[in-house]
Amino acid sequence: MAMEATDMPPCSVFILGASGEVGKELLNAVSAEAKFSEIVLIGRRKIEEEPFMKYEQRVVDFEKIEDYGNAFQDLEIGFCCLGTTRGKAGVDGFIKVDHDYVVNSAKIAKQHGCKHLLIVSSSGANHNSKLLYHKTKGLTEEDLKDVGFDRLSIFRPGFLLCNRQEFRPLERAALTVMKPLFSFFPTLMSVPTSYVAKAMVKTALTPNPDKVEIIENKAMHTLASQDQ
């Protein structure tokens, strides 16, 4: 049985992918919690804008992540929101970011003190899927299980609802078609990015003896609504 969040001692955390839509919401949620004694943003470049400039930023080369172990040193909890799209990066680039960068970073983080990793995956993730997106997400999940974290929390959101700055025509078209369904069944297939962030923080702050846990879309709505 999970303990109360108040039983959680202060801890240091890092965020991978803080500039993305979930990552930005996650940074807001993490910074609002006094339990996080240190917050470090890890990425391929320094972000010269607020609110990112308020936090320590450590720049790494994901192609040579094994050379950047110090960036993860003694950071106990890791949040990972790294990801791209096939349309933006191509097939090889998508697999490289969503699988290779994530898994390789996780291995280095584990070696340097990370005990709990929380990762944004996707609803429908399945390493046996014939669909590239779902298969890649599923393979990432399976490989992360083998890293050996004390605790691995996998979040599988449905359609992410947010005011996305990046223009994604296919996603916008899908939202237009599916919006009535989202309205009638708000917890079934979609979730606001702010809810994903709140659910991740709530999970991080609530100890759980299970080494691997999968949080599906509906559970994120429930977690995000707690203590509000």
Side-chain angles (χ1 to χ4, degrees), residues 159 168-182 189:
F159 193 98
R168 295 183 179 181
L170 292 179
E171 188 174 285
R172 183 167 296 182
L175 177 59
T176 300
V177 173
M178 300 296 289
K179 192 171 183 179
L181 185 61
F182 294 163
M189 299 172 59

Side-chain angles (χ1 to χ4, degrees), residues 137-198:
K137 293 295 187 180
L139 287 171
T140 300
E141 291 184 5
E142 293 304 308
D143 288 343
L144 288 176
K145 293 175 185 178
D146 292 335
V147 174
F149 288 101
D150 291 357
R151 184 180 175 193
L152 173 64
S153 301
I154 298 170
F155 293 78
R156 291 179 174 174
F159 193 98
L160 293 171
L161 302 177
C162 61
N163 295 319
R164 191 181 296 280
Q165 296 180 355
E166 178 185 356
F167 179 65
R168 295 183 179 181
L170 292 179
E171 188 174 285
R172 183 167 296 182
L175 177 59
T176 300
V177 173
M178 300 296 289
K179 192 171 183 179
L181 185 61
F182 294 163
S183 298
F184 280 110
F185 305 99
T187 67
L188 180 64
M189 299 172 59
S190 63
V191 60
T193 51
S194 61
Y195 282 27
V196 179
K198 291 176 182 177

Side-chain angles (χ1 to χ4, degrees), residues 84-86 89-104 132-133 135-137 139-140:
T84 187
T85 64
R86 177 176 177 174
V91 172
D92 292 342
F94 169 70
I95 295 173
K96 179 182 290 187
V97 173
D98 283 58
H99 177 272
D100 299 351
Y101 286 1
V102 171
V103 174
N104 292 338
L132 174 68
Y133 185 82
K135 181 175 183 177
T136 301
K137 293 295 187 180
L139 287 171
T140 300

Side-chain angles (χ1 to χ4, degrees), residues 22-65:
V22 175
K24 286 184 286 190
E25 293 287 358
L26 181 59
L27 180 56
N28 289 334
V30 167
S31 62
E33 288 293 343
K35 288 286 185 179
F36 299 129
S37 57
E38 180 182 11
I39 302 171
V40 176
L41 311 183
I42 300 176
R44 61 183 177 82
R45 63 181 178 84
K46 187 173 182 179
I47 306 173
E48 302 283 354
E49 60 185 66
E50 297 297 345
F52 307 102
M53 292 295 291
K54 297 178 182 177
Y55 304 93
E56 180 180 357
Q57 299 187 53
R58 300 177 185 175
V59 176
V60 300
D61 181 350
F62 288 107
E63 295 286 347
K64 303 175 181 178
I65 196 64

Side-chain angles (χ1 to χ4, degrees), residues 4-11 35-36 77 116 204-207:
E4 292 296 325
T6 52
D7 294 332
M8 185 81 178
C11 56
K35 288 286 185 179
F36 299 129
I77 296 179
H116 183 191
L205 291 173
T206 308

